[in-house]
Amino acid sequence: MNKITILIHCKDKPNIIASVTNFVAKEGGNIVYLDQHVDREQDVFFMRLESEFVSDTFSTEDFKNAFKNILAEKFEMKWRIYSSKKKPRMALFISKYDHCLYDLLGRYNSGELNLEIPFIISNHNDLKSIADNFKIPFYHIPVSKETKGKAEEKQLALLKEYNIDFIVLARYMQIVSSKLINEYPNKIINIHHSFLPAFVGAKPYHSAYKRGVKIIGATSHYVTEELDAGPIIEQDVAHITHTYSIEDLIAKGRDLEKIVLANAVKLHTNRKVMVYNNKTVIFS
Amino acid sequence: MNKITILIHCKDKPNIIASVTNFVAKEGGNIVYLDQHVDREQDVFFMRLESEFVSDTFSTEDFKNAFKNILAEKFEMKWRIYSSKKKPRMALFISKYDHCLYDLLGRYNSGELNLEIPFIISNHNDLKSIADNFKIPFYHIPVSKETKGKAEEKQLALLKEYNIDFIVLARYMQIVSSKLINEYPNKIINIHHSFLPAFVGAKPYHSAYKRGVKIIGATSHYVTEELDAGPIIEQDVAHITHTYSIEDLIAKGRDLEKIVLANAVKLHTNRKVMVYNNKTVIFS
Amino acid sequence: MNKITILIHCKDKPNIIASVTNFVAKEGGNIVYLDQHVDREQDVFFMRLESEFVSDTFSTEDFKNAFKNILAEKFEMKWRIYSSKKKPRMALFISKYDHCLYDLLGRYNSGELNLEIPFIISNHNDLKSIADNFKIPFYHIPVSKETKGKAEEKQLALLKEYNIDFIVLARYMQIVSSKLINEYPNKIINIHHSFLPAFVGAKPYHSAYKRGVKIIGATSHYVTEELDAGPIIEQDVAHITHTYSIEDLIAKGRDLEKIVLANAVKLHTNRKVMVYNNKTVIFS
Amino acid sequence: MNKITILIHCKDKPNIIASVTNFVAKEGGNIVYLDQHVDREQDVFFMRLESEFVSDTFSTEDFKNAFKNILAEKFEMKWRIYSSKKKPRMALFISKYDHCLYDLLGRYNSGELNLEIPFIISNHNDLKSIADNFKIPFYHIPVSKETKGKAEEKQLALLKEYNIDFIVLARYMQIVSSKLINEYPNKIINIHHSFLPAFVGAKPYHSAYKRGVKIIGATSHYVTEELDAGPIIEQDVAHITHTYSIEDLIAKGRDLEKIVLANAVKLHTNRKVMVYNNKTVIFS
């Protein structure tokens, strides 16, 4: 059985849904999921559709071509089509914090995540033993002001060699360069340890403590050129009180970070996220 | 401009979505919302669709007939079609608590609710002045063991006279009879002051206090024959601590009750709720 | 029975708790509540204590004097002592939005709030009928650029005439002047319709929509000279999705605003809030 | 520097707080934390106090004796006094689920937990490699109907040999016997995968799915003779929708379970939990 997921966005026009569902039916597909959204401010139509094909002769490539020629050009769609047969390949960038790493690898190990992790990159060697325990190749690529360019070349070479589809910065603690961002547009997922747009940048828990907020948060977003300003995928928060020290905020925040990041990774790999106008449409 | 909402459920089969969207397109409708759900355990398909029709000659009745003959029979659908031109008419049943009443009438007054409130019924006279302030007819129908039957006849007469579509029990504190339930199946919305199925029945805050839970809740559900066991529309919760007295729980719970009930009313009147197998599908 | 509440803060030193509890016991008081907090960064001690006195000859004034002479001077305390016999008097400033007004007056009416509302001030006449329904004097004091000074004089005269203890800006939509702030330091409670410090200033729901956040919030804080930057008393949030229009955000936000503001008012009137270093200590 | 934590409960009487704080001050202690609670229904007083002692000659044993003779007998207190110098020793009972195990060991490794884990017991061998990776002794003690008695004897022997203070059932999936419960009263922490008291017993996610709740939860409680009815330490919940399959509920629930259990363990080891009348007082 073949199963494909179609993501579409284009200018809103009449009859898009009927046209697409008709097309899929004619190609022999049975639609098992359909959700759509219209951004009325921007007049943009978004759609996510899953379809199953039982025919032995079904080819994803042929379907893509037909879709492109018959539908996509007519409605001037931006579109992506994924086969469920290919798991997305994720590179994990880490530094010294282990909570998101343990959490993601624990989920990966138990089969909760629909993805492959060909390798882990870190600018420090501290967490190598965790990668070893989970039997995932670990590359130590130190980053300093002087070596940043060279380090990035090594990273890009690895990403290419392993056919990486997307990158997760699991508290990587380094700003990634434009070059990497351009190679992976809306494909680098970061976890920021605040409820964005509050407390952009370094040391958000210190800022939260100083401001005396009663709630802290974590935000997972796609990385763009502007720091901590990319499209938000997922956010969550926790109530705190005046009794929390900065260390308490950091500890509480770790629980938010790991769950928010894991949810963002799941949404991304299940093809449920579309980006438009620096915002996300999340199909649930 | 005519706008209609279609709700469908039937046994899951191939091509339902394509068939429906095709039909709507051929009738001249532009689909502005579509969401569907498949209950894989029960093998049941659910769909909600909104469509706009610009033609001057569009008739909701004609559309319903065509839908019935062409689609509904073929797929053995249960279906409902609503025109946006007719606001649902809600009867409000209250007793002595005023928090849900103030909350609903405040929203009604500010235009937040897409409905009409032809009258309020209460088994006590205490809150009549609130109804008066909001200029809504108030019927005092006392209920005692002896008068229960008579009282219900009066209620039913009023419901019929005013063409009531659905009933909201805003902390009505009386068990409604089978007769009323059968006249308004999945059309009587109750607010229960606990996180169901915990603490069914009377005095849930007392039970929550005794059990020492750390979270209390409120549940809005359709009324069925079995007490507090109908399909759940909406639930919310709040964290509490050992410092809360029963009175504190009741006060905190009031905030949950009024917001949960208001949300349930909005979901119902926006035709976003479908009931199947004593559960709800809520299209967002 | 007399009941008093003592709030203290001072530089942290050994033996403060023992000294205070000893003093209260010697004065004949039975301590029914004690909570304290130490801000280790600032080295400041905070304490809240409730004590009951059964003696017929107990005088709050005498107790205050004794407290001042024996304890407060020794430990260089900032302190406040309240008798439960006097309810705080609240002035309500409103404008055109009615949701916080209905919510507060509904709670006031049902006895949930431990305060008095001598009057309501509004810069518009729109909500006068609500004040009338609840039988609370309503003063319409229009504010324009030219009349702002005069309007404020009228406000101050009313506040003085009615012996107002604190002010609640229930979506008042006007920036209050330094003069008012200085007369009521940490005694003017505002509700801001965002999760501060995100989206300071006007139209926060529009900003939240534009940024594509997945959670919105509301913040109640004391008013200081700097806009939306005063000590935060209470915050809450709600999850949203890409399907929410700005109008949906505003509607959802109303529910946050009214509950956050009501909670802040309750904390303030129950003497549970202390302010230090532009932050609050909230004793629960 | 010595630091001790005192937990007290007794019948409520005047002057307990003053007496205790006085006593501590006279013994040379500086109180750095004090919180108390009165259960007005039961007329019981609870108190938690932390005190620092700088004297070189301070002895926790001497302090305990003095406390017992001078205070505890007078007020007929139940009391416990802990020195911060001794970390509580936790035995971890697991079965086949690894999410709570990874979570607790990750926190343990990073220094977040103030405890020691001398060993892990499991009735299955599946998770041995995780224990090995974290270098914690692992005992495989199979349990069948026939061997249950023998298995428990082995468990008790290990608990005694390693001087275990408390037990955590991290999804252990076996009912522990009265004998173990009596040896460790209010010292066996379980995580139940529902919002108790809803869905007691086996397969709560299946029951939640069937009932159609809109929120699921997890509950950590002390184990008592009655199944899932012991004193609740911590609860949390997550919103779900009709789109969640049972597998989705289980996956979402895992995140609740691990965080709720970790929080309960932290509260217990930081001596913040008191049990009375099958409920907990949690000092924050």
Side-chain angles (χ1 to χ4, degrees):
Chain A
M1 160 100 65
N2 286 278
K3 186 170 172 183
I4 59 161
T5 301
I6 308 175
L7 297 173
I8 296 164
H9 72 88
C10 59
K11 195 169 175 314
D12 192 25
K13 289 177 196 163
N15 284 323
I16 306 177
I17 296 176
S19 304
V20 175
T21 55
N22 235 348
F23 169 80
V24 172
K26 277 184 187 152
E27 293 285 317
N30 181 32
I31 299 168
V32 293
Y33 173 96
L34 189 161
D35 201 358
Q36 46 61 242
H37 169 64
V38 177
D39 181 329
R40 304 231 168 261
E41 294 237 323
Q42 304 285 334
D43 204 28
V44 179
F45 173 85
F46 300 86
M47 184 172 179
R48 184 180 182 277
L49 182 150
E50 291 178 10
S51 181
E52 292 171 350
F53 295 84
V54 291
S55 161
D56 288 346
T57 60
F58 177 81
S59 143
T60 304
E61 282 315 302
D62 291 351
F63 182 84
K64 279 187 187 179
N65 283 330
F67 183 89
K68 185 170 167 246
N69 294 328
I70 296 168
L71 275 181
E73 289 180 1
K74 180 177 166 196
F75 288 100
E76 297 177 78
M77 293 173 174
K78 305 269 181 192
W79 58 279
R80 290 178 285 152
I81 292 178
Y82 300 100
S83 164
S84 66
K85 300 214 163 156
K86 193 181 167 301
K87 286 191 184 180
R89 295 165 67 78
M90 169 176 103
L92 208 40
F93 281 40
I94 61 172
S95 189
K96 290 183 163 183
Y97 295 112
D98 64 5
H99 55 289
C100 287
L101 182 65
Y102 267 125
D103 187 76
L104 284 173
L105 296 185
R107 292 173 197 271
Y108 178 57
N109 230 27
S110 71
E112 186 181 317
L113 302 181
N114 177 40
L115 52 81
E116 286 170 13
I117 309 180
F119 65 83
I120 293 169
I121 282 177
S122 179
N123 58 335
H124 293 286
N125 225 348
D126 306 45
L127 305 181
K128 184 177 186 309
S129 65
I130 301 177
D132 293 349
N133 286 342
F134 284 88
K135 297 187 176 54
I136 296 175
F138 178 92
Y139 294 93
H140 176 210
I141 304 181
V143 177
S144 68
K145 227 178 188 174
E146 295 74 31
T147 65
K148 188 145 193 176
K150 288 266 183 198
E152 203 164 82
E153 278 174 35
K154 279 189 209 169
Q155 292 170 351
L156 279 164
L158 281 169
L159 294 167
K160 200 169 173 187
E161 181 189 339
Y162 283 92
N163 286 315
I164 293 302
D165 292 307
F166 74 109
I167 300 166
V168 167
L169 309 181
R171 298 296 312 275
Y172 176 53
M173 309 299 286
Q174 294 282 328
I175 292 174
V176 296
S177 77
S178 307
K179 199 168 173 188
L180 207 61
I181 295 169
N182 290 334
E183 290 275 336
Y184 287 90
N186 294 327
K187 289 177 178 172
I188 307 176
I189 300 174
N190 186 41
I191 178 72
H192 183 73
H193 39 316
S194 86
F195 178 70
L196 289 176
F199 309 129
V200 165
K203 296 203 176 257
Y205 293 124
H206 290 72
S207 304
Y209 180 84
K210 189 162 185 302
R211 180 62 185 92
V213 291
K214 299 301 182 188
I215 290 175
I216 57 167
T219 304
S220 192
H221 63 93
Y222 290 119
V223 174
T224 55
E225 294 278 341
E226 192 182 341
L227 184 66
D228 298 332
I232 293 170
I233 307 167
E234 174 93 353
Q235 299 189 290
D236 206 0
V237 297
H239 286 260
I240 58 166
T241 72
H242 65 272
T243 64
Y244 281 66
S245 65
I246 290 177
E247 290 66 38
D248 293 333
L249 296 186
I250 291 170
K252 187 93 173 178
R254 279 196 292 260
D255 285 348
L256 290 173
E257 293 164 31
K258 63 193 191 190
I259 290 189
V260 167
L261 180 58
N263 284 343
V265 168
K266 282 194 256 186
L267 289 169
H268 181 87
T269 53
N270 292 331
R271 321 302 192 183
K272 297 199 163 176
V273 187
M274 297 187 75
V275 174
Y276 185 79
N277 215 13
N278 205 45
K279 295 163 61 170
T280 60
V281 169
I282 308 279
F283 290 113
S284 60
Chain B
M1 161 97 68
N2 286 278
K3 187 170 172 183
I4 60 160
T5 300
I6 309 175
L7 297 172
I8 297 164
H9 71 87
C10 59
K11 196 171 172 313
D12 192 26
K13 288 178 196 164
N15 285 324
I16 306 176
I17 296 176
S19 303
V20 175
T21 55
N22 236 349
F23 169 80
V24 172
K26 276 181 188 153
E27 294 284 318
N30 181 33
I31 299 168
V32 294
Y33 173 96
L34 189 161
D35 201 358
Q36 46 63 241
H37 170 65
V38 177
D39 182 328
R40 303 230 169 261
E41 294 236 323
Q42 305 285 332
D43 204 28
V44 179
F45 172 86
F46 300 86
M47 186 171 178
R48 183 179 184 278
L49 184 149
E50 290 178 11
S51 181
E52 293 171 351
F53 295 83
V54 290
S55 158
D56 287 347
T57 60
F58 177 83
S59 142
T60 304
E61 282 316 302
D62 291 351
F63 182 85
K64 279 186 187 178
N65 283 330
F67 183 89
K68 183 170 169 247
N69 294 328
I70 295 169
L71 275 180
E73 289 180 0
K74 180 177 166 197
F75 288 99
E76 297 176 80
M77 293 171 174
K78 306 271 182 191
W79 58 279
R80 291 178 284 153
I81 291 176
Y82 300 101
S83 163
S84 66
K85 301 215 162 155
K86 192 180 168 304
K87 286 191 184 181
R89 295 165 67 78
M90 170 176 102
L92 208 41
F93 281 42
I94 61 172
S95 188
K96 288 183 165 185
Y97 295 112
D98 64 5
H99 54 290
C100 288
L101 182 64
Y102 268 125
D103 186 76
L104 284 172
L105 296 185
R107 291 173 198 272
Y108 178 57
N109 229 27
S110 71
E112 186 180 318
L113 302 180
N114 177 39
L115 52 82
E116 285 171 15
I117 309 180
F119 64 83
I120 294 169
I121 282 177
S122 179
N123 58 336
H124 292 285
N125 226 349
D126 305 47
L127 306 181
K128 182 176 187 311
S129 65
I130 301 178
D132 292 349
N133 287 341
F134 285 88
K135 296 185 176 53
I136 297 175
F138 177 92
Y139 293 93
H140 177 209
I141 304 181
V143 177
S144 68
K145 227 177 187 175
E146 295 73 32
T147 65
K148 186 146 193 172
K150 287 266 182 201
E152 202 164 84
E153 278 174 35
K154 279 190 209 168
Q155 292 171 352
L156 279 163
L158 280 168
L159 294 167
K160 200 169 173 185
E161 181 189 340
Y162 284 93
N163 286 314
I164 293 301
D165 293 306
F166 74 109
I167 299 167
V168 167
L169 310 180
R171 301 295 313 274
Y172 176 52
M173 309 299 286
Q174 292 282 328
I175 293 174
V176 296
S177 78
S178 306
K179 199 168 174 187
L180 206 61
I181 295 170
N182 292 333
E183 291 276 336
Y184 287 90
N186 295 326
K187 290 177 178 173
I188 307 176
I189 299 174
N190 186 39
I191 177 73
H192 183 72
H193 39 317
S194 85
F195 178 70
L196 288 175
F199 310 128
V200 166
K203 295 201 176 258
Y205 293 124
H206 290 72
S207 304
Y209 180 85
K210 190 162 183 301
R211 179 62 185 94
V213 292
K214 300 300 182 189
I215 290 174
I216 57 167
T219 303
S220 191
H221 63 94
Y222 290 118
V223 175
T224 56
E225 293 279 341
E226 192 182 339
L227 184 65
D228 298 332
I232 293 169
I233 307 168
E234 174 95 350
Q235 300 190 290
D236 205 0
V237 297
H239 287 260
I240 58 166
T241 72
H242 64 273
T243 63
Y244 282 66
S245 65
I246 291 176
E247 289 68 36
D248 293 334
L249 296 186
I250 291 170
K252 185 92 172 179
R254 281 196 291 259
D255 285 347
L256 290 173
E257 293 163 30
K258 63 193 190 189
I259 290 190
V260 167
L261 180 57
N263 284 342
V265 168
K266 282 194 255 186
L267 289 169
H268 182 87
T269 52
N270 292 330
R271 321 301 193 184
K272 298 200 163 177
V273 187
M274 298 187 74
V275 174
Y276 184 78
N277 215 13
N278 206 43
K279 293 163 61 170
T280 59
V281 170
I282 308 278
F283 289 114
S284 60
Chain C
M1 159 99 66
N2 286 278
K3 187 171 173 182
I4 59 160
T5 301
I6 309 176
L7 297 172
I8 297 164
H9 71 87
C10 59
K11 195 170 174 312
D12 191 27
K13 288 177 196 165
N15 285 324
I16 306 176
I17 297 176
S19 302
V20 174
T21 54
N22 235 350
F23 169 79
V24 172
K26 276 183 188 154
E27 293 286 319
N30 181 33
I31 299 168
V32 293
Y33 173 96
L34 189 160
D35 201 357
Q36 46 62 242
H37 170 64
V38 177
D39 181 329
R40 303 233 169 258
E41 293 236 326
Q42 304 285 334
D43 204 28
V44 179
F45 172 87
F46 300 86
M47 186 172 178
R48 183 178 183 280
L49 184 150
E50 291 178 11
S51 181
E52 293 172 350
F53 295 83
V54 291
S55 160
D56 288 346
T57 61
F58 176 82
S59 142
T60 305
E61 282 315 303
D62 291 351
F63 182 83
K64 280 188 186 177
N65 284 330
F67 184 88
K68 183 171 169 245
N69 294 329
I70 295 168
L71 275 181
E73 290 181 359
K74 181 176 165 198
F75 288 99
E76 298 176 79
M77 293 171 173
K78 305 270 179 191
W79 59 279
R80 290 177 285 153
I81 292 177
Y82 301 100
S83 165
S84 65
K85 301 214 161 156
K86 193 181 166 303
K87 286 191 183 181
R89 294 165 67 78
M90 170 176 103
L92 208 40
F93 281 41
I94 61 172
S95 189
K96 289 183 165 184
Y97 295 113
D98 64 5
H99 55 289
C100 288
L101 182 64
Y102 267 126
D103 187 76
L104 284 172
L105 296 185
R107 292 172 198 271
Y108 178 57
N109 229 27
S110 71
E112 186 181 317
L113 302 180
N114 177 39
L115 52 82
E116 286 170 13
I117 309 180
F119 65 83
I120 294 170
I121 283 177
S122 179
N123 57 335
H124 293 285
N125 225 348
D126 305 46
L127 306 181
K128 184 176 186 309
S129 66
I130 302 177
D132 292 349
N133 285 342
F134 284 89
K135 298 186 175 53
I136 297 175
F138 177 91
Y139 294 93
H140 177 209
I141 305 181
V143 177
S144 67
K145 227 176 187 174
E146 294 74 31
T147 63
K148 186 145 193 172
K150 286 266 181 201
E152 202 164 84
E153 276 174 38
K154 279 191 211 169
Q155 292 171 352
L156 280 163
L158 280 168
L159 293 167
K160 200 169 173 185
E161 181 189 340
Y162 283 94
N163 286 314
I164 293 301
D165 292 307
F166 74 108
I167 300 166
V168 167
L169 310 180
R171 301 296 312 274
Y172 176 51
M173 309 300 286
Q174 293 283 327
I175 292 174
V176 296
S177 77
S178 306
K179 199 168 174 188
L180 207 62
I181 294 170
N182 291 333
E183 290 275 336
Y184 286 90
N186 295 326
K187 289 176 178 172
I188 307 177
I189 299 174
N190 186 40
I191 178 72
H192 184 73
H193 39 318
S194 85
F195 179 70
L196 289 175
F199 309 129
V200 165
K203 297 203 175 255
Y205 292 125
H206 290 72
S207 305
Y209 180 84
K210 190 162 182 303
R211 179 63 185 93
V213 291
K214 299 301 181 188
I215 290 173
I216 57 167
T219 304
S220 193
H221 62 93
Y222 289 118
V223 174
T224 56
E225 294 279 341
E226 191 182 342
L227 183 66
D228 297 333
I232 293 170
I233 305 167
E234 174 94 350
Q235 299 189 291
D236 206 359
V237 297
H239 287 259
I240 58 166
T241 72
H242 65 272
T243 64
Y244 281 66
S245 65
I246 291 177
E247 289 67 39
D248 293 334
L249 296 186
I250 291 170
K252 185 93 171 178
R254 281 197 290 262
D255 285 348
L256 290 174
E257 293 163 31
K258 64 193 191 190
I259 290 190
V260 167
L261 179 58
N263 284 344
V265 167
K266 282 194 254 185
L267 289 169
H268 181 87
T269 52
N270 291 331
R271 321 301 193 183
K272 297 200 163 177
V273 188
M274 298 187 74
V275 174
Y276 184 79
N277 214 13
N278 205 45
K279 294 164 62 171
T280 60
V281 170
I282 308 279
F283 290 113
S284 60
Chain D
M1 159 98 67
N2 286 278
K3 186 170 173 183
I4 60 160
T5 301
I6 309 175
L7 297 172
I8 297 164
H9 71 88
C10 59
K11 196 172 175 311
D12 191 26
K13 288 177 196 166
N15 285 323
I16 305 177
I17 295 176
S19 302
V20 175
T21 54
N22 236 350
F23 169 79
V24 172
K26 276 183 187 153
E27 293 285 318
N30 180 34
I31 299 167
V32 293
Y33 172 95
L34 190 161
D35 200 359
Q36 46 62 245
H37 170 66
V38 177
D39 182 328
R40 303 232 169 259
E41 294 237 324
Q42 304 285 332
D43 205 27
V44 180
F45 173 86
F46 300 87
M47 184 171 180
R48 184 179 182 278
L49 183 149
E50 291 178 12
S51 181
E52 293 171 350
F53 294 84
V54 291
S55 160
D56 289 345
T57 60
F58 176 82
S59 143
T60 305
E61 282 316 302
D62 291 352
F63 182 83
K64 281 186 185 178
N65 283 330
F67 183 89
K68 183 170 169 246
N69 294 329
I70 295 169
L71 275 181
E73 289 180 1
K74 181 178 165 197
F75 287 100
E76 296 176 78
M77 293 171 174
K78 306 271 180 191
W79 57 279
R80 290 177 285 153
I81 292 177
Y82 300 101
S83 165
S84 66
K85 301 214 161 155
K86 194 181 166 303
K87 286 190 183 181
R89 295 166 67 80
M90 169 175 103
L92 208 40
F93 282 40
I94 61 173
S95 189
K96 290 183 163 185
Y97 295 113
D98 64 4
H99 55 291
C100 288
L101 182 64
Y102 268 125
D103 188 75
L104 284 172
L105 296 185
R107 292 173 197 271
Y108 178 57
N109 229 27
S110 71
E112 186 180 317
L113 301 180
N114 177 40
L115 52 81
E116 286 171 11
I117 308 180
F119 64 83
I120 293 169
I121 283 176
S122 179
N123 57 336
H124 293 286
N125 225 348
D126 306 45
L127 305 182
K128 183 177 186 308
S129 65
I130 301 177
D132 292 349
N133 286 342
F134 284 89
K135 298 186 174 54
I136 297 175
F138 177 92
Y139 293 93
H140 178 210
I141 305 181
V143 177
S144 68
K145 227 176 187 174
E146 296 73 31
T147 65
K148 186 146 193 174
K150 287 267 182 198
E152 201 164 84
E153 277 175 35
K154 279 190 209 168
Q155 291 171 352
L156 279 163
L158 280 169
L159 294 167
K160 200 169 173 186
E161 181 189 338
Y162 283 93
N163 287 313
I164 293 301
D165 292 307
F166 74 109
I167 299 167
V168 168
L169 310 180
R171 299 295 313 274
Y172 176 53
M173 310 298 287
Q174 293 282 328
I175 293 174
V176 296
S177 77
S178 307
K179 199 168 173 188
L180 207 62
I181 295 169
N182 291 333
E183 290 276 336
Y184 287 90
N186 295 327
K187 290 177 179 171
I188 306 177
I189 299 174
N190 186 41
I191 177 72
H192 183 73
H193 39 317
S194 85
F195 178 71
L196 289 175
F199 310 129
V200 165
K203 297 205 175 252
Y205 293 124
H206 291 72
S207 305
Y209 180 84
K210 189 162 184 303
R211 179 63 185 91
V213 291
K214 300 300 183 188
I215 290 174
I216 57 167
T219 304
S220 191
H221 63 94
Y222 290 118
V223 175
T224 56
E225 295 279 340
E226 191 183 340
L227 184 65
D228 299 331
I232 294 170
I233 307 167
E234 175 93 351
Q235 300 188 291
D236 206 359
V237 297
H239 287 259
I240 58 166
T241 72
H242 64 273
T243 65
Y244 281 66
S245 65
I246 291 178
E247 290 67 37
D248 294 334
L249 296 186
I250 291 170
K252 185 94 171 176
R254 280 197 292 260
D255 285 347
L256 289 173
E257 293 164 31
K258 62 193 190 189
I259 290 190
V260 167
L261 179 58
N263 284 344
V265 168
K266 282 194 257 186
L267 289 168
H268 181 86
T269 53
N270 291 331
R271 320 302 192 183
K272 297 199 163 179
V273 188
M274 299 187 74
V275 174
Y276 184 79
N277 215 13
N278 205 45
K279 293 163 63 169
T280 60
V281 170
I282 308 279
F283 289 113
S284 59

